[in-house]
Amino acid sequence: MDGKKVMLSGIQPSGDLHLGNYLGPLRHWPEMIEEFDCYFFMADLHTITVRQDPAQLRKRTLTQIAQYIACGLDPEKCVLFVQSHVPAHTQLSWVLNCYTMFGELNRMTQFKDKSAKHAENVNAGLFTYPVLMAADILIYQPDFVPVGEDQKQHVEICRDIAERFNGVYGDVFRVPEPYIAKVGARIMSLNTPDTKMSKSLHEGCVFLMEKPEDIMRKFKRAVTDSDTERCVRYAPAEKPGVSNLMQIYAAATGKTYEDIEAEFAGQGYGKFKPAVGEAVAETLRPIREETERLLADKAYLESVYRAGAEKASYAAEKTLRKVYKKVGFIAR
């Protein structure tokens, strides 16, 4: 890495990447690697708080690496790696567990949400998940961590843990600042536009690897609005369905909301929805095709994640040695 500020981010390979992932953070990541030293990882350790099919998890992890590259992340310019390939994450996580208060973890809203959704499997990993996330971050001494609305609490507890540890042992960890990235579109579900697009709501979600005909079908069925005017107008409070489709169309084409309103003036939703579908299908086509090409070259993908693990391990073990020394462990 070349002395620029450090940025780190990861996504769980617990399901296929979708349009919301791409139009939100992913398409801005290639710009970030020009400005920062970036670490991007497949957060496979985090996925197993919920039971996974092992073969599917391996397949999705490899697909996600290919998709990252297809979306513009050059492995020569950033570190792309699989979380479980760097043991220092879990080693640091245990130490940080001992500097995290039970009450802090008990207040985490994601634990409450996931416990409700997976009542049959409320495991300790689900509870201590934020500590592993803090270890993921602090092990690389990043200056910034991109923050989405649903992750703010995790970054806050990470900062609290780092400050508590530093208060005991001195300046061991750099306390990362939240990074508000360029505004990525917050894409909502196509069939429930008051809910964020999610892989768990399959019919309202468009996946990066979907065929154009399936994308078109989903957009033709997309919920618009029950108002009588039936015009294409950006008004999120009054017309959430149409406004969501406009946001998607704007992100896919670069057009402004005014341009879109003028383009579909007097045409109604029947023309508008297929046009959005076509724009999305064309936006995702090169990503899908490049991902398929990369997945056919397993040797190349293996070389990427092996090199990424080596680079990540070098940085991570430096931090871990420092932490182990501070807490009193004998050097190996």
Side-chain angles (χ1 to χ4, degrees):
M1 308 303 266
D2 58 15
K4 293 186 281 194
K5 297 280 189 184
V6 177
M7 174 83 74
L8 172 132
S9 193
I11 295 179
Q12 288 189 40
S14 55
D16 297 327
L17 292 177
H18 56 73
L19 185 66
N21 298 133
Y22 178 66
L23 295 182
L26 252 176
R27 70 174 178 156
H28 296 295
W29 283 2
E31 299 163 24
M32 285 164 55
I33 64 177
E34 301 301 329
E35 187 179 350
F36 302 101
D37 281 338
C38 289
Y39 293 82
F40 296 110
F41 64 96
M42 322 304 125
D44 58 341
L45 292 171
H46 286 291
T47 66
I48 63 168
T49 58
V50 176
R51 295 286 173 263
Q52 302 290 328
D53 176 289
Q56 282 300 310
L57 178 57
R58 281 189 284 271
K59 182 182 176 186
R60 284 196 304 263
T61 303
L62 204 59
T63 299
Q64 191 166 300
I65 297 168
Q67 287 176 323
Y68 276 15
I69 299 168
C71 287
L73 292 183
D74 182 347
E76 298 298 317
K77 294 184 176 181
C78 63
V79 180
L80 287 177
F81 67 102
V82 179
Q83 183 190 24
S84 62
H85 290 179
V86 184
H89 285 243
T90 47
Q91 291 171 293
L92 180 60
S93 181
W94 171 250
V95 176
L96 297 185
N97 263 309
C98 301
Y99 293 83
T100 306
M101 300 301 111
F102 184 89
E104 289 175 308
L105 294 175
N106 211 28
R107 287 192 292 273
M108 300 299 288
T109 54
Q110 277 210 352
F111 172 68
K112 292 169 187 170
D113 293 346
K114 288 194 174 182
S115 298
K117 283 180 189 168
H118 304 281
E120 76 295 343
N121 182 27
V122 184
N123 58 69
L126 199 59
F127 189 66
T128 59
Y129 177 108
V131 186
L132 177 56
M133 187 176 280
D136 296 334
I137 295 167
L138 297 175
I139 199 87
Y140 298 104
Q141 304 284 7
D143 299 276
F144 300 106
V145 181
V147 183
E149 276 301 317
D150 57 343
Q151 297 296 346
K152 275 185 179 172
Q153 209 181 15
H154 286 122
V155 176
E156 285 164 12
I157 196 172
C158 170
R159 287 170 55 84
D160 290 343
I161 294 166
E163 286 167 353
R164 182 176 297 125
F165 195 92
N166 287 351
V168 177
Y169 299 107
D171 292 332
V172 178
F173 295 118
R174 181 175 289 141
V175 181
E177 295 292 330
Y179 177 78
I180 311 304
K182 284 185 182 175
V183 180
R186 189 168 189 268
I187 304 302
M188 311 305 277
S189 168
L190 298 185
N191 56 7
T192 51
D194 57 343
T195 308
K196 196 173 167 184
M197 186 173 282
S198 165
K199 55 184 173 275
S200 61
L201 301 168
H202 198 274
E203 269 309 298
C205 184
V206 175
F207 296 95
L208 297 195
M209 300 301 288
E210 267 188 295
K211 295 174 183 171
E213 58 268 30
D214 293 326
I215 293 172
M216 291 301 296
R217 176 180 57 78
K218 285 184 177 179
F219 275 98
K220 284 175 181 174
R221 292 180 181 177
V223 168
T224 45
D225 300 295
S226 56
D227 60 342
T228 52
E229 61 176 336
R230 299 191 64 75
C231 71
V232 175
R233 179 167 64 85
Y234 189 74
E238 304 162 43
K239 300 165 75 73
V242 168
S243 298
N244 184 44
L245 292 174
M246 287 181 72
Q247 183 172 218
I248 293 169
Y249 193 60
T253 62
K255 294 178 180 179
T256 66
Y257 295 139
E258 291 79 12
D259 293 337
I260 298 166
E261 287 174 10
E263 183 180 349
F264 294 97
Q267 294 191 53
Y269 304 149
K271 296 274 189 186
F272 177 52
K273 291 199 286 184
V276 182
E278 283 171 18
V280 168
E282 282 308 305
T283 298
L284 298 185
R285 186 190 303 278
I287 295 169
R288 187 185 75 252
E289 290 173 353
E290 179 63 1
T291 300
E292 287 169 349
R293 187 189 70 76
L294 289 165
L295 285 171
D297 190 351
K298 295 286 193 294
Y300 170 70
L301 289 178
E302 185 176 331
S303 74
V304 168
Y305 67 67
R306 280 179 180 272
E310 280 182 30
K311 290 178 193 169
S313 293
Y314 177 78
E317 284 163 13
K318 233 161 75 171
T319 299
L320 190 67
R321 283 195 299 273
K322 193 174 180 182
V323 169
Y324 273 17
K325 185 178 180 182
K326 289 289 186 181
V327 298
F329 296 159
I330 295 173
R332 192 170 66 179

